[in-house]
Amino acid sequence: MKIRQLGQNGPQVSALGYGCMGLDFGYANTLSRADGVAMIRAAVERGVTFFDTAEVYGPWTNEETVGEALEPFKGQVVIATKFGFDIDPETGAMRGVSSHPDRIRAVAEASLKRLRVDALDVFYQHRVDPNVPIEDVAGTVRDLMAEGKVRHFGMSEPSAATLRRAHAVQPVAMLQNEYSLWTRQVETNGILDACDELGIGLVPYSPLGKGFLTGAITSTADVSQGDFRATLPRFQADALAANQALVDGLKVIAAQHGATPAQIALAWLLAQRPFIVPIPGTTRLHRLEENLGAADITLSDTDLAQIGLLLAGIEVHGARYTPAAEAMTGL
């Protein structure tokens, strides 16, 4: 597996990481804890050294699975987790966002225990809390770093202006934002520009369009009841039908490389910047191996131009999130 540097201040990790959320949260098809542990260890065996989780996944259970799976590999892997949501400790219900300094500290202590580590490799603010100055958030993480409890500070889905304010207090090592062939806001909202300027790594989540770019989802029948994608505008029947042209175009390019649409989608992301590390997730071993194969595909300038023409000729239909979820981003 090839290695990448996540920005000037971030760690060196495998060119493709592994998003652990879907192991037991968000999707209809989840794994038992034992199978989740086995899946994560299969990724390690295949060269993955970067794993992503969060306290809100489950909540809490995802971190516990990751902690058990990666305990034998201390010092060999990088684990990223997140704070920023207000979770009812009794019911697990999410009550909104909270990045109050006391809350950040409490999450850090709990995550350390669940992940079975002495320090959190990456501690992301999951979503910006409009009620807490970002300077206070960055300052709290800076203090946790000084105490040896956190190694790197990250943010997810902030505005470029908020990112810059946070970075002035405590350098942000990496951002986790949605970025894929059909979600490219980072190219126009100042986020990618800020990464270039400030030396910040970029970790695209949902790099395969929540599964759509694999070609496995062609209608609403392919999205199971209880799957969070069923609530998203982009996964409604009309939008899925309209967006199929993107996957059809990807299949043509993939065939030229003897690859799959998913591999081309990931290879395209890797080609955008040397500090980009996508974190596709899956519950299937053959999909894991397929995804990791993308690291061995080098797209030529001609390939990238062909993909650019494909994107220019297609209008993506449907918003990526519900209005309420979208309102939590870009703050």
Side-chain angles (χ1 to χ4, degrees):
M1 173 60 71
K2 297 174 182 177
I3 300 298
R4 290 196 162 198
Q5 176 77 33
L6 265 173
Q8 292 178 358
N9 301 310
Q12 287 189 334
V13 297
S14 51
L16 289 165
Y18 182 81
C20 300
M21 183 191 83
L23 292 174
D24 66 359
F25 182 74
Y27 297 95
N29 298 316
T30 58
L31 299 182
S32 67
R33 179 155 171 177
D35 287 343
V37 167
M39 191 71 193
I40 292 170
R41 290 179 177 173
V44 175
E45 291 168 1
R46 287 157 178 79
V48 177
T49 64
F50 187 40
F51 294 85
D52 183 86
T53 184
E55 67 152 357
V56 77
Y57 301 159
W60 311 305
T61 56
N62 201 263
E63 283 187 323
E64 292 169 352
T65 298
V66 172
E68 178 180 344
L70 296 178
E71 188 173 24
F73 306 102
K74 287 183 179 180
Q76 304 173 46
V77 297
V78 173
I79 305 173
T81 193
K82 311 175 192 76
F83 66 88
F85 285 109
D86 178 19
I87 306 170
D88 187 315
E90 299 297 327
T91 66
M94 187 158 53
R95 301 180 293 199
V97 294
S98 177
S99 285
H100 187 278
D102 289 345
R103 172 68 182 148
I104 296 172
R105 284 189 164 277
V107 174
E109 295 295 344
S111 292
L112 286 167
K113 292 177 181 178
R114 287 191 289 266
L115 292 172
R116 308 184 188 188
V117 294
D118 299 323
L120 303 174
D121 293 317
V122 183
F123 205 29
Y124 291 106
Q125 184 187 38
H126 209 154
R127 288 294 184 271
V128 172
D129 184 345
N131 297 314
V132 179
I134 198 63
E135 291 81 4
D136 293 351
V137 174
T140 302
V141 178
R142 177 194 59 203
D143 293 344
L144 288 168
M145 293 174 70
E147 295 165 20
K149 295 178 179 179
V150 172
R151 293 193 173 96
H152 301 287
F153 176 34
M155 300 182 73
S156 181
E157 295 281 355
S159 69
T162 300
L163 165 63
R164 290 175 182 276
R165 287 169 52 201
H167 190 79
V169 175
Q170 168 58 48
V172 177
M174 65 199 73
L175 288 178
Q176 184 177 133
N177 277 50
E178 186 168 5
Y179 188 24
S180 70
L181 284 168
W182 76 343
T183 302
R184 292 178 289 141
Q185 286 95 326
V186 298
E187 298 176 353
T188 57
N189 64 10
I191 288 295
L192 199 51
D193 291 338
C195 288
D196 285 330
E197 177 188 339
L198 302 174
I200 297 173
L202 182 60
V203 178
Y205 72 85
S206 298
L208 297 176
K210 298 178 174 65
F212 180 75
L213 298 175
T214 67
I217 299 174
T218 59
S219 73
T220 55
D222 296 320
V223 180
S224 303
Q225 186 176 5
D227 190 312
F228 83 102
R229 291 173 294 185
T231 68
L232 303 179
R234 203 168 282 182
F235 282 85
Q236 304 312 303
D238 291 349
L240 283 175
N243 292 328
Q244 197 61 45
L246 175 56
V247 175
D248 292 342
L250 268 184
K251 288 179 178 178
V252 172
I253 298 168
Q256 297 168 359
H257 287 267
T260 66
Q263 290 174 328
I264 297 301
L266 292 171
W268 178 84
L269 278 172
L270 291 171
Q272 300 310 299
R273 297 291 194 281
F275 54 74
I276 285 178
V277 178
I279 50 168
T282 182
T283 58
R284 296 177 173 87
L285 183 59
H286 75 277
R287 287 293 192 190
L288 171 67
E289 294 175 337
E290 175 186 344
N291 292 343
L292 297 183
D296 296 322
I297 297 174
T298 300
L299 297 176
S300 67
D301 290 343
T302 301
D303 293 327
L304 293 171
Q306 185 179 1
I307 294 172
L309 286 174
L310 171 65
L311 295 176
I314 292 175
E315 177 186 355
V316 176
H317 289 247
R320 63 171 182 151
Y321 282 141
T322 62
E326 189 64 52
M328 298 176 71
T329 70
L331 299 177

